[in-house]
Amino acid sequence: MWITCPVSLSNHPNTAPFADLTGKKQKASAMYDTAEPNVIDDGMLRDAVEEQGPRGEAGRIAKMEGVSFQDVTSLRLDFKNILKVDNLWQFHNLTKLQLDNNIIEKIQGLDTLVHLVWLDMSFNNIEMIEGLSALPKLEDLSLYNNRISALENMDSLKNLQVLSIGNNNLTSLENLIYLRRFKHLRTLNLSGNPLSEDEHYKLFLAAHLPDLVYLDFRLVDENIRDIANVKYQYSIEELNQNETLERVKQEKEDKHQQELDAHKAAYVEYLNGPFLFEGMYAEDVEGTRLASLPAVAELVESYRTKCTEICQNIFDYGLQHHEKREAEMAVFNECLQEAVTENQEAGAKKIQELESKNNELLYQLSQITEQQILDAKSLQYSQDVAQLMDALLHLEIQLVDQLEEILKEYERNISDLVSTFLETVQSLMAQIRDLENQHHEKLLELCISLLESVLKGEMDEDMTDELRALFVDKDTIINAVSSSHDIHMLKIDNREDELVTKINNWATNLVQKVHREELQRNRKRVAEINAYIDHLRDELDNLDVLEQI
């Protein structure tokens, strides 16, 4: 929290005194009367970053070298006459953004700013709260002096602590109950809204937001809170009860989603039950009609039981095998990290040995006046640095070779695991196909037998018009049963293909990822070695310059 006492509210950008904010808005309005709306482009962003960057020589160097937008954590775009928020995707690490005193009409263009903690969009023309779902880290939000008429669409802001939304068009006290979901909300500004004129305004908020500390720049009075709790006792009890029920429901849904995510990670989602079987009949109109016949229903139920049992076997095996894959990845990461750490420690030891030796040598060089001795010492220093560079690069080459072997073994292990998994799963899927073929033969035989009874008029009581349309002749019933069989086989094939494709893609992406990361690590390490060696050589060069001066 930035705010810890009422006094500091006056200095906080999102809860500044109303007189200052109003003056600020008047300046902005006067400036925008004749100005054309601006678009956020690279030029505006570059200028804003440079304006907020270092001054003097440091600023000149920064401007010359250029600043990566990805490195910027704070950005001011206030008083820019901006109509639409756009082109901020490069500021991935931004934590603070000022967009106040513009003419923005819609909250948008913030989806990539996932690290944003502080956002000021006060003094704009915003009519609806939206576009904030990608900002889960947001703690401080100012929408002061806009045209907002409802509190909504902020559910993802779980960490919200400060909300300034005064001078808007909020009219409903009941709408303020929406704020109860923000468990960390401690500072709230609603002054200047029509609802703040309601005689029950402060009591309503004190009762419904029990953890609120500051309201409209003032500490919430405990006496008012006590009075409010008595006044709204029964409605708060009912609200708490409803919220408890909702929380239990949400926890249940979250748990279900977590389980489903775990099943998807194992590629066996919806195989722990009759889901595949039910999926076969979901689009099978003829099969569903035939299953309504008592004689067929028993056959279908037997098929359902056996199919579900095999699916459950696939599901259980999939979860077990997923644990094996996770264990293999853990072992690999441990081996990888161990090799890298040992190599880095060896490199650090060599650097320490050179630094302890050459620090003394540099000191001697600074004291020596005889040129011949100076040249000899300088040559020795340069040779030591060159030897260190060779040693560090040699260590890196050793590490690359070592990691290459580890990666090859890892790739083989992953390939073996995937092959074993697919061999078992496809064998079980083949059993489901055999079941379907057996069911198809039995169903066809039964339906042909029933056809004779239907044609003799012996089954009129069990037949609907839709069923009777299937039992007009042998070809019609054969076609219906065959169509049902084709749909079932397609469902089985598609589920198997989906599983095979997903785990093969996982294996391919996993191997590509570790190779890519190793290449990046190697390039970074070589760059670090070169930079360090250049630093050591610069130390000697700087010493030579000082001596010449």
Side-chain angles (χ1 to χ4, degrees):
M1 284 272 300
W2 291 278
I3 303 173
T4 55
C5 66
V7 175
S8 64
L9 286 169
S10 62
N11 296 321
H12 194 273
N14 283 3
T15 51
F18 290 128
D20 293 344
L21 287 171
T22 305
K24 193 176 181 184
K25 179 63 176 177
Q26 288 172 347
K27 293 177 183 177
S29 299
M31 179 178 69
Y32 297 153
D33 284 342
T34 57
E36 289 292 325
N38 285 326
V39 177
I40 300 179
D41 55 19
D42 282 352
M44 177 188 289
L45 294 172
R46 198 160 35 248
D47 291 343
V49 170
E50 289 175 359
E51 287 173 8
Q52 299 158 55
R55 297 285 183 252
E57 181 63 16
R60 187 189 67 79
I61 294 173
K63 186 174 182 179
M64 180 177 63
E65 294 180 350
V67 178
S68 172
F69 288 167
Q70 290 188 359
D71 298 331
V72 176
T73 59
S74 178
L75 182 64
R76 287 186 57 185
L77 293 172
D78 52 333
F79 294 95
K80 301 290 185 184
N81 202 31
I82 295 168
L83 177 62
K84 180 182 178 182
V85 180
D86 200 3
N87 293 317
L88 295 178
W89 58 270
Q90 299 177 76
F91 293 85
H92 182 70
N93 293 309
L94 205 64
T95 60
K96 180 177 179 180
L97 176 61
Q98 278 187 251
L99 286 165
D100 58 279
N101 288 278
N102 286 292
I103 52 174
I104 298 167
E105 297 178 349
K106 185 176 182 180
I107 304 175
Q108 60 184 354
L110 306 176
D111 291 349
T112 59
L113 308 182
V114 294
H115 300 293
L116 207 62
V117 175
W118 191 95
L119 174 64
D120 186 354
M121 299 189 76
S122 55
F123 294 108
N124 279 286
N125 299 322
I126 298 167
E127 296 184 357
M128 176 186 292
I129 301 176
E130 59 186 333
L132 301 173
S133 59
L135 311 179
K137 295 184 179 181
L138 199 66
E139 297 177 3
D140 194 313
L141 173 64
S142 179
L143 294 169
Y144 186 86
N145 212 106
N146 279 282
R147 301 173 182 176
I148 297 167
S149 57
L151 296 171
E152 58 187 343
N153 301 324
M154 296 190 289
D155 295 37
S156 63
L157 307 185
K158 303 298 185 184
N159 295 306
L160 191 65
Q161 299 177 19
V162 179
L163 176 62
S164 177
I165 194 165
N167 274 25
N168 276 277
N169 299 327
L170 301 175
T171 58
S172 171
L173 288 180
E174 292 296 323
N175 184 216
L176 298 180
I177 295 176
Y178 179 82
L179 298 176
R180 285 173 63 87
R181 69 197 64 211
F182 305 114
K183 303 305 180 183
H184 302 287
L185 185 64
R186 299 293 180 268
T187 301
L188 177 64
N189 172 23
L190 288 164
S191 61
N193 283 287
L195 58 76
S196 66
E197 301 300 322
D198 191 299
E199 59 178 327
H200 303 299
Y201 163 65
K202 290 185 178 180
L203 288 174
F204 187 90
L205 273 169
H208 288 83
L209 301 180
D211 296 320
L212 196 66
V213 179
Y214 300 107
L215 174 62
D216 300 341
F217 312 105
R218 293 181 181 276
L219 196 66
V220 176
D221 190 290
E222 290 303 319
N223 292 328
I224 290 180
R225 199 186 298 277
D226 292 339
I227 296 171
N229 289 336
V230 173
K231 178 178 176 60
Y232 293 99
Q233 177 183 354
Y234 297 110
S235 62
I236 292 297
E237 287 178 356
E238 182 180 358
L239 196 58
N240 286 334
Q241 188 175 22
N242 292 337
E243 288 176 347
T244 299
L245 293 174
E246 186 64 31
R247 183 169 62 253
V248 170
K249 178 183 175 183
Q250 186 61 49
E251 288 173 355
K252 186 177 180 180
E253 291 177 356
D254 291 344
K255 182 180 179 181
H256 174 73
Q257 186 60 47
Q258 290 173 2
E259 291 177 349
L260 180 58
D261 290 342
H263 300 167
K264 287 181 177 180
Y267 311 112
V268 291
E269 68 273 17
Y270 300 118
L271 289 174
N272 56 330
F275 304 106
L276 178 58
F277 179 85
E278 290 172 354
M280 295 181 196
Y281 281 89
E283 300 173 9
D284 181 9
V285 178
E286 282 81 3
T288 302
R289 289 174 183 170
L290 291 170
S292 66
L293 288 170
V296 178
E298 184 178 347
L299 185 65
V300 171
E301 186 58 33
S302 175
Y303 178 24
R304 174 193 179 96
T305 301
K306 294 176 181 178
C307 178
T308 301
E309 183 179 345
I310 297 174
C311 286
Q312 186 66 46
N313 291 337
I314 296 174
F315 176 81
D316 294 338
Y317 176 75
L319 292 186
Q320 294 170 7
H321 205 273
H322 177 63
E323 291 180 0
K324 290 183 179 180
R325 296 196 297 270
E326 290 290 311
E328 179 63 34
M329 288 189 289
V331 170
F332 165 74
N333 289 326
E334 184 178 347
C335 292
L336 188 72
Q337 190 57 48
E338 184 179 338
V340 171
T341 300
E342 288 180 359
N343 189 274
Q344 289 177 342
E345 289 174 352
K349 185 177 180 181
K350 291 185 178 296
I351 290 172
Q352 189 175 11
E353 290 172 354
L354 178 130
E355 286 187 345
S356 60
K357 174 183 177 182
N358 283 351
N359 284 341
E360 177 63 25
L361 186 59
L362 284 172
Y363 175 76
Q364 292 176 6
L365 285 171
S366 66
Q367 305 300 317
I368 295 173
T369 57
E370 188 173 337
Q371 188 62 43
Q372 187 174 1
I373 299 176
L374 189 64
D375 291 343
K377 293 286 186 181
S378 297
L379 178 61
Q380 180 186 343
Y381 180 86
S382 297
Q383 290 173 344
D384 289 345
V385 171
Q387 288 176 1
L388 175 64
M389 182 176 184
D390 291 341
L392 293 177
L393 289 176
H394 181 66
L395 279 173
E396 177 58 21
I397 291 172
Q398 285 182 328
L399 179 60
V400 169
D401 292 339
Q402 183 182 359
L403 294 184
E404 185 177 353
E405 289 301 316
I406 294 175
L407 289 174
K408 285 181 179 178
E409 182 180 359
Y410 182 52
E411 190 170 351
R412 284 194 298 269
N413 292 344
I414 291 296
S415 179
D416 290 344
L417 283 171
V418 171
S419 297
T420 301
F421 175 73
L422 288 179
E423 182 179 348
T424 303
V425 168
Q426 288 178 313
S427 174
L428 290 169
M429 280 291 186
Q431 292 181 27
I432 297 178
R433 285 194 191 85
D434 290 341
L435 270 181
E436 169 58 33
N437 287 326
Q438 294 169 16
H439 173 74
H440 170 63
E441 292 174 2
K442 292 177 181 178
L443 179 61
L444 184 59
E445 182 181 346
L446 180 58
C447 286
I448 291 175
S449 176
L450 289 172
L451 176 62
E452 296 179 6
S453 300
V454 172
L455 294 178
K456 292 178 181 179
E458 297 174 355
M459 295 187 61
D460 289 344
E461 293 182 0
D462 297 328
M463 302 292 288
T464 63
D465 291 340
E466 293 175 337
L467 269 174
R468 194 172 285 106
L470 298 177
F471 285 90
V472 291
D473 55 43
K474 187 174 181 179
D475 288 340
T476 302
I477 195 62
I478 289 176
N479 289 336
V481 174
S482 296
S483 174
S484 173
H485 176 60
D486 291 342
I487 291 172
H488 295 182
M489 291 298 283
L490 182 62
K491 287 288 184 180
I492 296 169
D493 291 343
N494 287 344
R495 185 62 183 91
E496 181 179 347
D497 290 344
E498 179 186 8
L499 187 150
V500 171
T501 300
K502 284 183 177 179
I503 195 167
N504 281 331
N505 287 342
W506 168 80
T508 300
N509 293 335
L510 180 67
V511 171
Q512 289 177 348
K513 180 174 180 287
V514 295
H515 280 290
R516 184 170 60 251
E517 288 176 349
E518 164 53 18
L519 179 61
Q520 293 171 348
R521 185 210 61 78
N522 172 247
R523 289 176 175 174
K524 182 180 178 182
R525 181 59 176 166
V526 171
E528 288 173 349
I529 292 171
N530 287 326
Y532 179 67
I533 295 301
D534 289 342
H535 165 70
L536 294 178
R537 288 169 174 163
D538 287 343
E539 282 189 322
L540 181 61
D541 293 341
N542 292 336
L543 192 63
D544 291 342
V545 171
L546 289 174
E547 288 174 355
Q548 292 173 7
I549 293 175

